[in-house]
Each structure stands twice: as structure tokens, then as C-alpha cells.
Amino acid sequence: MEKPTTHRIDDKEPTYEEIKKLVGGYIEIAYDDGETQIICNEEGKIYGHPYNEEATDEWNKLLSNNKFYEVNTDVLVGDVVILTGEALLK
């Protein structure tokens, strides 16, 4: 499998089907603080999708700003969608 892609959308809210196609399967919202949403394939680890360094780094930065997370030991795999601005799912 090739290097995973991190898709960034900020101009319009994508449909469920559009996100599902971008992550390659059923979606899981891994992060949502009301300003940023990170969405991945909920079965990515089961199917052995490769580590997504870019998305994991972004996720860790966001989590480090949250007082409820001290250390994140998890990673994101496969293609990931990061939504901001007008693209946030309602």
C-alpha cells in the first residue's frame, strides 16, 4: 500500500459518502473540538493500513492543547480527513 494521504477540507461540508470514499471505508471521528474534526477509517488498523505520520502529528498537537489528555499513545493509519471552517460536520 502506498503512503497514506491526509485530506484537508475547509470550504464546504462533505457528505458521508464523500468522506467514506476518501478514507476508504466506514468512518470514525477520532477528534472533534468544535473547530477541527479528524476522521479516519474505523477498520484501518484491522486491515493493516500504514501509519499516517502527518495526521498523527496533527492529532497529537491538538490533543496536547486539551487538558484531558496527558499522553497519546495511539496512532492514525491510512487516509485521513481533517475538517475545519465551513467543512465541519454538523
Side-chain angles (χ1 to χ4, degrees):
M1 183 177 253
E2 57 189 67
K3 181 179 177 186
T5 302
T6 302
H7 306 275
R8 296 176 185 275
I9 304 171
D10 65 2
D11 57 343
K12 74 173 191 74
E13 181 179 353
T15 66
Y16 171 76
E17 289 302 320
E18 289 170 329
I19 297 172
K20 190 175 173 185
K21 185 175 179 181
L22 289 172
V23 301
Y26 295 110
I27 70 168
E28 176 180 353
I29 298 175
Y31 181 84
D32 183 355
D33 67 2
E35 294 181 15
T36 302
Q37 294 168 332
I38 298 178
I39 303 170
C40 61
N41 181 325
E42 77 172 20
E43 299 176 320
K45 290 179 185 166
I46 293 169
Y47 291 114
H49 292 186
Y51 170 60
N52 186 321
E53 183 176 5
E54 179 184 356
T56 299
D57 288 347
E58 180 77 16
W59 190 36
N60 282 324
K61 275 191 254 176
L62 291 165
L63 288 173
S64 70
N65 294 332
N66 187 322
K67 66 181 178 182
F68 298 109
Y69 291 94
E70 291 184 22
V71 176
N72 180 29
T73 59
D74 203 357
V75 297
L76 295 170
V77 300
D79 293 343
V80 172
V81 176
I82 298 178
L83 303 176
T84 57
E86 299 296 317
L88 293 176
L89 300 177
K90 296 170 180 66

